Amino acid sequence: MPAPQNPASNTLSNGAGNIPTIFAAFGATGDLMRRKVIPAIFHLHRHNELPAMFHIVGFSRRDWSDADFRSFIKEVIEKHEGKEVSAEILRPFLERFTFQQGTFEDPKSYDALKTAFNALDKEWGVCANKLFYLSVAPEHYDRILKHLSRSGLVEPCAPGEGWTHLIVEKPFGMDSKTARRIDTLLGTLFDETQVYRIDHYLAKEMLQNILAFRFSNNLFELAWGSELIESVHIKLLEKIGVEDRGEFYDPVGALRDVGQNHLLQMLALVAMDKPIDFDPGSIQKKRGEILRQLKPISQDDASRTTYRAQYEGYRNINKVDPKSQTETYFKIRAELDHPKWRGVPFVLESGKRMGEASKEILITFKHPAPCLCPKGQPHHKNEIIIRMEPREEILIEFWSKSLGFAFATEPRFFHYMLRESSVHVPYVEEYSKLLLDCVRGDQTLFISTEEVSAMWDFTDSVLNAWKKNAVPLNTYKPDTKDISKASKSLESQSGVASAAKKEIGIIGLGKMGSAMSRRLKGKGWAVHGYDPNESAIGFLNREGMHGTSSLRELVEGLSAPRTIWLMVPHAAVDEVLYGHEGIAKQLSKGDVVVDGGNTYFKDSITRAKKLKKFGVTFIDVGFSGGPSGAENGGCLMIGGDEKMFKKLEPLFADVAQSQGYRFFEGIGAGHFVKMVHNGIEYGMMQALAEGFAMMKKSKYKLDLTRVAEIYNQGSVIESRLVDWLRKAFVLRGEDLKGVSGSVGHTGEAAWTVQTAEEMKVAMKVIEESLKFRKKSAKNPDYTGKVLSALREQFGGHSIKK
């Protein structure tokens, strides 16, 4: 069971104070200790941040004395400092170190270590806190932890007296399976508050600054997400190569080494939801939640969303397999299944021998639409760059009028530099802070077990696809960025958008079809359109699109494979498909018909089967949002075949508002969801109309416009319907003069009620709202006026009887 801990150890916030601590380093003479940990402890010592009673016990198999170990420490410090350090400074630091010879598998070594701990406790006259640092490979954890438990080293001197913390270095396993095994093992001896999993990137000042930048300011956070952000590119490009680390690196590779941990933690900081406070548990929870929303990458998708490569000459490195398939570079386009981030690509990129070091997060904002750009000037996209190397800085790009008589724009930057690069000592500063936080009991900059699990689940999906060679291993010239350019096509939003043919035919150019045509033209689509109304065709031609005088001309004007979108009333769909000039027989195998109208889902199933005989795929789309949605981005409920949906996803993304489309498997599923949506809409509108009719008749002289306003300021019934009603009152007055009390209706609610009866589902509210509309033809009233006014606002329907 985990050892009881003293909760007071977690209350410190500034400095290490007087916290008697024994730091036991397993693997004390290894690479991590030399390069990072020993210099970090010396850094803390020189800045008087260590507790007065802080002692380091090195544990290693070498047959060394304390003097030997201190000579080793002195050599490490002077090599790191690049000069000889005076005895006056070095002597008190070296006195903090003693050595315990032993092996990980020998029980007696741990008994001897406990004897050394007891001697320090006796010398200090206190029960010291124990900080165990495992600078060893994960395969040694099992025996070390079991011996720690058996020897009593992790037990407090007395209940509530002293704490035991364990520092674990990455990699946290080699995959999900080994990570879970390590976590299970850790959980048998320690609770989560005692385990400190180090990812030194979280201690970088610029990454910590992301939390302050986002949550301590009100400049960006309200719109932080897919509404305004187009993409996030996280880079960790290194100048150095593998050098003499071939034995470690070759079984690991770039993705395990920096992707599974550093890059995904950077992603979490950018995308996480706002924590309730800056408490470590709150921050870890929000990081874990967003990482759990990473969409795994299937083997089929890996070829279009991942890229891997190895630099030339890597296989010649000592202890690297001559036939190694290990990547030294990767690029991955990740996605989050989170309402704020759906559709936003997170590009993760890292590589060795990339010429110059570049470590940054590039956040690109969407191009304003419509763009109020001077004619002939570039379209504007703002950017935020959070950079760690080559300088620690934040850059915000914006556009401003350039000097001169003409109205032209040019990019400018708000620039914040944290400090000069010469001030920062890589690794030392980060490890100093992390070690100090371990003593304080602050886990903010450490990784929770939930985060580790989520990161490995995503990483495993990529590694498994690579293992099956779903993505070839490319090569690149070292000390260049050629491979970054070669993999650039992977960065596009959907992975097929850049290659997709952006050409479409639209049949039906009424309020919805014409508005959607304008939107798609603005998104770069070549639009061909047909409508029996010649003025609608003329409108298309005047707007720079291709109006056609017949269905045959429309089909012939599109290159195969064709995509044709129907935006016609449901009663006209069969005529368009199978009538005298119907398009079904004119289409070719591989073409697609998208029905975006309000169609009965059972009819969609029938039409899909008939078109399949021609080799034509049918996709059903329930479209909500009215003419305004068609022009500014609608809400799409899409049914049909998933493979075809993915192929057409760039089209749906351009038609819909941000986050405004979802796929539902099965022919007719989209129209079914839209049918139910329209039934619900009837019920909601009926409730609003009845409520406002009651207030109209009340003895109180209520200003109904103001009632609608306050209902839409955070109330439970806040909605677009309420705002449309407010607009109707402003436009028509509260008496709604000129608005008919007889309410029009279409077939969708009737289909909903009919289908509910077939499914034996009670639908009383929707059924009664439908009955009211039918009765209103003979019994018009104020409730009917409200309904007619609402229909005019969102759908452009007539307010006349």
Side-chain angles (χ1 to χ4, degrees), residues 195-232:
V195 180
Y196 290 71
R197 300 172 186 84
I198 280 187
D199 182 344
H200 75 272
Y201 255 65
L202 282 178
K204 286 185 175 293
E205 285 288 347
M206 287 310 296
L207 290 194
Q208 294 174 63
N209 237 322
I210 294 175
L211 293 176
F213 182 79
R214 288 186 57 194
F215 302 126
S216 296
N217 300 294
N218 202 28
L219 291 172
F220 304 105
E221 188 57 29
L222 289 177
W224 197 259
S226 61
E227 184 179 350
L228 287 183
I229 293 177
E230 179 178 277
S231 65
V232 179

Short mmCIF file of all heavy atoms in Angstrom, two decimals, residues 195-232:
data_model
loop_
_atom_site.label_atom_id
_atom_site.label_comp_id
_atom_site.label_asym_id
_atom_site.label_seq_id
_atom_site.Cartn_x
_atom_site.Cartn_y
_atom_site.Cartn_z
N VAL A 195 4.14 10.62 -6.84
CA VAL A 195 4.89 10.28 -8.05
C VAL A 195 5.07 11.53 -8.92
O VAL A 195 4.10 12.20 -9.28
CB VAL A 195 4.18 9.18 -8.85
CG1 VAL A 195 4.98 8.83 -10.11
CG2 VAL A 195 3.98 7.93 -7.99
N TYR A 196 6.33 11.83 -9.25
CA TYR A 196 6.68 13.01 -10.03
C TYR A 196 7.31 12.56 -11.35
O TYR A 196 8.47 12.17 -11.40
CB TYR A 196 7.64 13.91 -9.25
CG TYR A 196 6.97 14.59 -8.07
CD1 TYR A 196 6.59 13.88 -6.95
CD2 TYR A 196 6.70 15.95 -8.12
CE1 TYR A 196 5.96 14.50 -5.88
CE2 TYR A 196 6.07 16.59 -7.06
CZ TYR A 196 5.70 15.86 -5.94
OH TYR A 196 5.07 16.48 -4.90
N ARG A 197 6.49 12.56 -12.42
CA ARG A 197 6.97 12.14 -13.74
C ARG A 197 7.51 13.38 -14.46
O ARG A 197 6.77 14.31 -14.78
CB ARG A 197 5.84 11.51 -14.55
CG ARG A 197 5.24 10.27 -13.91
CD ARG A 197 4.00 9.81 -14.67
NE ARG A 197 3.33 8.72 -14.01
CZ ARG A 197 2.44 8.88 -13.02
NH1 ARG A 197 2.13 10.10 -12.59
NH2 ARG A 197 1.87 7.84 -12.46
N ILE A 198 8.79 13.37 -14.73
CA ILE A 198 9.46 14.55 -15.27
C ILE A 198 9.37 14.60 -16.79
O ILE A 198 9.75 13.65 -17.48
CB ILE A 198 10.95 14.58 -14.84
CG1 ILE A 198 11.07 15.12 -13.41
CG2 ILE A 198 11.76 15.46 -15.78
CD1 ILE A 198 12.50 15.34 -12.97
N ASP A 199 8.85 15.71 -17.30
CA ASP A 199 9.03 16.12 -18.69
C ASP A 199 9.58 17.53 -18.59
O ASP A 199 8.84 18.49 -18.32
CB ASP A 199 7.71 16.11 -19.45
CG ASP A 199 7.89 16.49 -20.92
OD1 ASP A 199 8.96 17.05 -21.25
OD2 ASP A 199 6.98 16.26 -21.72
N HIS A 200 10.88 17.68 -18.79
CA HIS A 200 11.51 18.98 -18.50
C HIS A 200 10.96 20.11 -19.36
O HIS A 200 11.11 21.29 -19.02
CB HIS A 200 13.04 18.88 -18.66
CG HIS A 200 13.51 18.83 -20.08
ND1 HIS A 200 13.64 17.65 -20.77
CD2 HIS A 200 13.88 19.82 -20.94
CE1 HIS A 200 14.08 17.91 -21.99
NE2 HIS A 200 14.24 19.21 -22.12
N TYR A 201 10.28 19.78 -20.48
CA TYR A 201 9.71 20.84 -21.31
C TYR A 201 8.66 21.64 -20.57
O TYR A 201 8.48 22.84 -20.82
CB TYR A 201 9.14 20.25 -22.61
CG TYR A 201 10.03 20.52 -23.79
CD1 TYR A 201 11.31 19.96 -23.84
CD2 TYR A 201 9.65 21.36 -24.82
CE1 TYR A 201 12.16 20.24 -24.90
CE2 TYR A 201 10.49 21.64 -25.88
CZ TYR A 201 11.74 21.07 -25.91
OH TYR A 201 12.59 21.36 -26.95
N LEU A 202 7.92 20.99 -19.68
CA LEU A 202 6.90 21.71 -18.94
C LEU A 202 7.49 22.77 -18.03
O LEU A 202 6.78 23.69 -17.59
CB LEU A 202 6.06 20.73 -18.11
CG LEU A 202 5.01 19.94 -18.88
CD1 LEU A 202 4.29 18.97 -17.95
CD2 LEU A 202 4.01 20.86 -19.55
N ALA A 203 8.77 22.66 -17.71
CA ALA A 203 9.41 23.65 -16.84
C ALA A 203 10.00 24.81 -17.62
O ALA A 203 10.54 25.75 -17.02
CB ALA A 203 10.51 22.97 -16.00
N LYS A 204 9.92 24.77 -18.95
CA LYS A 204 10.44 25.88 -19.74
C LYS A 204 9.59 27.12 -19.49
O LYS A 204 8.36 27.06 -19.50
CB LYS A 204 10.46 25.54 -21.23
CG LYS A 204 11.56 24.55 -21.61
CD LYS A 204 11.61 24.33 -23.09
CE LYS A 204 12.80 23.45 -23.47
NZ LYS A 204 14.10 24.11 -23.24
N GLU A 205 10.24 28.24 -19.29
CA GLU A 205 9.54 29.47 -18.95
C GLU A 205 8.48 29.84 -19.99
O GLU A 205 7.38 30.26 -19.64
CB GLU A 205 10.54 30.62 -18.80
CG GLU A 205 11.36 30.58 -17.52
CD GLU A 205 10.53 30.92 -16.29
OE1 GLU A 205 9.40 31.42 -16.44
OE2 GLU A 205 11.03 30.68 -15.17
N MET A 206 8.78 29.66 -21.28
CA MET A 206 7.84 30.05 -22.31
C MET A 206 6.61 29.15 -22.32
O MET A 206 5.50 29.60 -22.65
CB MET A 206 8.50 30.06 -23.69
CG MET A 206 9.46 31.22 -23.91
SD MET A 206 8.77 32.84 -23.50
CE MET A 206 7.45 32.98 -24.68
N LEU A 207 6.77 27.87 -21.97
CA LEU A 207 5.60 27.00 -21.91
C LEU A 207 4.75 27.33 -20.70
O LEU A 207 3.51 27.31 -20.76
CB LEU A 207 6.03 25.53 -21.88
CG LEU A 207 6.63 24.98 -23.17
CD1 LEU A 207 6.69 23.47 -23.13
CD2 LEU A 207 5.82 25.41 -24.39
N GLN A 208 5.39 27.62 -19.56
CA GLN A 208 4.62 28.06 -18.40
C GLN A 208 3.87 29.35 -18.72
O GLN A 208 2.77 29.60 -18.22
CB GLN A 208 5.55 28.28 -17.20
CG GLN A 208 6.21 27.00 -16.68
CD GLN A 208 7.22 27.31 -15.60
OE1 GLN A 208 6.86 27.81 -14.53
NE2 GLN A 208 8.48 27.02 -15.87
N ASN A 209 4.48 30.16 -19.59
CA ASN A 209 3.88 31.43 -19.96
C ASN A 209 2.58 31.27 -20.75
O ASN A 209 1.76 32.18 -20.80
CB ASN A 209 4.87 32.25 -20.80
CG ASN A 209 5.15 33.60 -20.18
OD1 ASN A 209 4.25 34.23 -19.64
ND2 ASN A 209 6.40 34.03 -20.23
N ILE A 210 2.40 30.10 -21.38
CA ILE A 210 1.17 29.88 -22.13
C ILE A 210 -0.05 29.96 -21.21
O ILE A 210 -1.08 30.54 -21.56
CB ILE A 210 1.20 28.51 -22.85
CG1 ILE A 210 2.28 28.51 -23.93
CG2 ILE A 210 -0.16 28.20 -23.49
CD1 ILE A 210 2.47 27.18 -24.62
N LEU A 211 0.07 29.39 -20.01
CA LEU A 211 -1.03 29.44 -19.06
C LEU A 211 -1.37 30.89 -18.69
O LEU A 211 -2.54 31.28 -18.66
CB LEU A 211 -0.69 28.65 -17.80
CG LEU A 211 -0.55 27.14 -17.96
CD1 LEU A 211 -0.12 26.50 -16.65
CD2 LEU A 211 -1.86 26.52 -18.43
N ALA A 212 -0.34 31.68 -18.42
CA ALA A 212 -0.57 33.08 -18.08
C ALA A 212 -1.09 33.86 -19.29
O ALA A 212 -2.02 34.66 -19.17
CB ALA A 212 0.72 33.71 -17.56
N PHE A 213 -0.50 33.61 -20.46
CA PHE A 213 -0.89 34.31 -21.69
C PHE A 213 -2.37 34.09 -21.99
O PHE A 213 -3.10 35.03 -22.34
CB PHE A 213 -0.03 33.80 -22.85
CG PHE A 213 -0.30 34.48 -24.17
CD1 PHE A 213 0.22 35.73 -24.45
CD2 PHE A 213 -1.07 33.85 -25.13
CE1 PHE A 213 -0.02 36.34 -25.67
CE2 PHE A 213 -1.31 34.45 -26.35
CZ PHE A 213 -0.78 35.71 -26.63
N ARG A 214 -2.82 32.85 -21.83
CA ARG A 214 -4.21 32.53 -22.14
C ARG A 214 -5.18 32.93 -21.03
O ARG A 214 -6.19 33.58 -21.27
CB ARG A 214 -4.36 31.02 -22.40
CG ARG A 214 -3.77 30.54 -23.70
CD ARG A 214 -4.10 29.06 -23.91
NE ARG A 214 -5.55 28.84 -23.88
CZ ARG A 214 -6.12 27.66 -23.77
NH1 ARG A 214 -5.38 26.58 -23.67
NH2 ARG A 214 -7.44 27.55 -23.77
N PHE A 215 -4.89 32.51 -19.80
CA PHE A 215 -5.89 32.57 -18.75
C PHE A 215 -5.78 33.79 -17.83
O PHE A 215 -6.69 34.05 -17.06
CB PHE A 215 -5.85 31.29 -17.92
CG PHE A 215 -6.07 30.05 -18.74
CD1 PHE A 215 -5.17 28.99 -18.72
CD2 PHE A 215 -7.18 29.93 -19.57
CE1 PHE A 215 -5.37 27.85 -19.48
CE2 PHE A 215 -7.40 28.80 -20.33
CZ PHE A 215 -6.49 27.76 -20.29
N SER A 216 -4.66 34.51 -17.89
CA SER A 216 -4.53 35.70 -17.05
C SER A 216 -4.82 36.97 -17.83
O SER A 216 -4.70 38.07 -17.30
CB SER A 216 -3.11 35.78 -16.45
OG SER A 216 -2.88 34.68 -15.59
N ASN A 217 -5.17 36.82 -19.10
CA ASN A 217 -5.55 37.96 -19.95
C ASN A 217 -6.91 37.68 -20.56
O ASN A 217 -7.36 36.54 -20.62
CB ASN A 217 -4.51 38.16 -21.06
CG ASN A 217 -3.13 38.45 -20.52
OD1 ASN A 217 -2.89 39.47 -19.90
ND2 ASN A 217 -2.20 37.52 -20.73
N ASN A 218 -7.54 38.72 -21.07
CA ASN A 218 -8.85 38.54 -21.69
C ASN A 218 -8.82 38.93 -23.16
O ASN A 218 -9.82 39.26 -23.75
CB ASN A 218 -9.90 39.39 -20.95
CG ASN A 218 -11.31 38.86 -21.18
OD1 ASN A 218 -11.49 37.67 -21.42
ND2 ASN A 218 -12.29 39.73 -21.11
N LEU A 219 -7.62 38.88 -23.75
CA LEU A 219 -7.47 39.30 -25.14
C LEU A 219 -7.95 38.25 -26.13
O LEU A 219 -8.55 38.57 -27.15
CB LEU A 219 -6.00 39.63 -25.43
CG LEU A 219 -5.43 40.87 -24.75
CD1 LEU A 219 -3.94 40.95 -24.97
CD2 LEU A 219 -6.11 42.13 -25.28
N PHE A 220 -7.64 36.97 -25.85
CA PHE A 220 -7.86 35.93 -26.85
C PHE A 220 -8.78 34.79 -26.39
O PHE A 220 -9.38 34.13 -27.21
CB PHE A 220 -6.52 35.31 -27.27
CG PHE A 220 -5.53 36.32 -27.77
CD1 PHE A 220 -4.47 36.72 -26.99
CD2 PHE A 220 -5.67 36.88 -29.03
CE1 PHE A 220 -3.55 37.64 -27.44
CE2 PHE A 220 -4.76 37.80 -29.50
CZ PHE A 220 -3.69 38.20 -28.71
N GLU A 221 -8.86 34.54 -25.09
CA GLU A 221 -9.42 33.28 -24.63
C GLU A 221 -10.88 33.09 -25.02
O GLU A 221 -11.30 31.96 -25.29
CB GLU A 221 -9.27 33.17 -23.10
CG GLU A 221 -9.66 31.81 -22.53
CD GLU A 221 -8.86 30.66 -23.15
OE1 GLU A 221 -7.71 30.87 -23.57
OE2 GLU A 221 -9.40 29.55 -23.22
N LEU A 222 -11.69 34.14 -25.08
CA LEU A 222 -13.10 33.97 -25.41
C LEU A 222 -13.30 33.38 -26.80
O LEU A 222 -14.29 32.70 -27.05
CB LEU A 222 -13.84 35.31 -25.29
CG LEU A 222 -14.02 35.83 -23.86
CD1 LEU A 222 -14.71 37.20 -23.89
CD2 LEU A 222 -14.83 34.85 -23.02
N ALA A 223 -12.38 33.65 -27.71
CA ALA A 223 -12.49 33.12 -29.08
C ALA A 223 -11.42 32.08 -29.37
O ALA A 223 -11.15 31.77 -30.51
CB ALA A 223 -12.39 34.27 -30.08
N TRP A 224 -10.80 31.54 -28.32
CA TRP A 224 -9.70 30.60 -28.49
C TRP A 224 -10.27 29.23 -28.86
O TRP A 224 -10.84 28.54 -28.04
CB TRP A 224 -8.91 30.51 -27.18
CG TRP A 224 -7.55 29.90 -27.30
CD1 TRP A 224 -7.21 28.62 -26.98
CD2 TRP A 224 -6.35 30.54 -27.74
NE1 TRP A 224 -5.87 28.43 -27.19
CE2 TRP A 224 -5.31 29.59 -27.66
CE3 TRP A 224 -6.05 31.82 -28.19
CZ2 TRP A 224 -4.00 29.88 -28.01
CZ3 TRP A 224 -4.75 32.10 -28.54
CH2 TRP A 224 -3.74 31.15 -28.45
N GLY A 225 -10.15 28.86 -30.12
CA GLY A 225 -10.71 27.60 -30.59
C GLY A 225 -11.01 27.70 -32.07
O GLY A 225 -10.53 28.60 -32.78
N SER A 226 -11.84 26.78 -32.57
CA SER A 226 -12.06 26.67 -34.01
C SER A 226 -12.80 27.86 -34.60
O SER A 226 -12.79 28.06 -35.82
CB SER A 226 -12.84 25.39 -34.30
OG SER A 226 -14.11 25.44 -33.65
N GLU A 227 -13.48 28.64 -33.75
CA GLU A 227 -14.22 29.79 -34.27
C GLU A 227 -13.29 30.75 -35.01
O GLU A 227 -13.63 31.30 -36.05
CB GLU A 227 -14.93 30.52 -33.13
CG GLU A 227 -15.79 31.68 -33.60
CD GLU A 227 -16.50 32.38 -32.45
OE1 GLU A 227 -16.48 31.86 -31.32
OE2 GLU A 227 -17.06 33.46 -32.70
N LEU A 228 -12.08 30.94 -34.48
CA LEU A 228 -11.15 31.87 -35.09
C LEU A 228 -9.82 31.23 -35.51
O LEU A 228 -9.14 31.75 -36.38
CB LEU A 228 -10.85 33.04 -34.14
CG LEU A 228 -11.97 34.06 -33.96
CD1 LEU A 228 -11.51 35.19 -33.04
CD2 LEU A 228 -12.42 34.65 -35.29
N ILE A 229 -9.43 30.12 -34.87
CA ILE A 229 -8.12 29.54 -35.14
C ILE A 229 -8.21 28.53 -36.29
O ILE A 229 -9.05 27.63 -36.28
CB ILE A 229 -7.55 28.87 -33.87
CG1 ILE A 229 -7.23 29.97 -32.83
CG2 ILE A 229 -6.29 28.07 -34.19
CD1 ILE A 229 -6.73 29.43 -31.50
N GLU A 230 -7.35 28.69 -37.26
CA GLU A 230 -7.34 27.81 -38.44
C GLU A 230 -6.47 26.58 -38.22
O GLU A 230 -6.83 25.47 -38.60
CB GLU A 230 -6.83 28.59 -39.64
CG GLU A 230 -6.75 27.78 -40.92
CD GLU A 230 -6.29 28.63 -42.09
OE1 GLU A 230 -7.16 29.32 -42.67
OE2 GLU A 230 -5.09 28.61 -42.41
N SER A 231 -5.28 26.77 -37.60
CA SER A 231 -4.36 25.65 -37.41
C SER A 231 -3.38 25.98 -36.29
O SER A 231 -3.16 27.14 -35.95
CB SER A 231 -3.60 25.33 -38.70
OG SER A 231 -2.75 26.42 -39.04
N VAL A 232 -2.78 24.92 -35.75
CA VAL A 232 -1.73 25.04 -34.74
C VAL A 232 -0.57 24.15 -35.19
O VAL A 232 -0.77 22.96 -35.46
CB VAL A 232 -2.22 24.61 -33.34
CG1 VAL A 232 -1.07 24.73 -32.33
CG2 VAL A 232 -3.42 25.44 -32.90
#
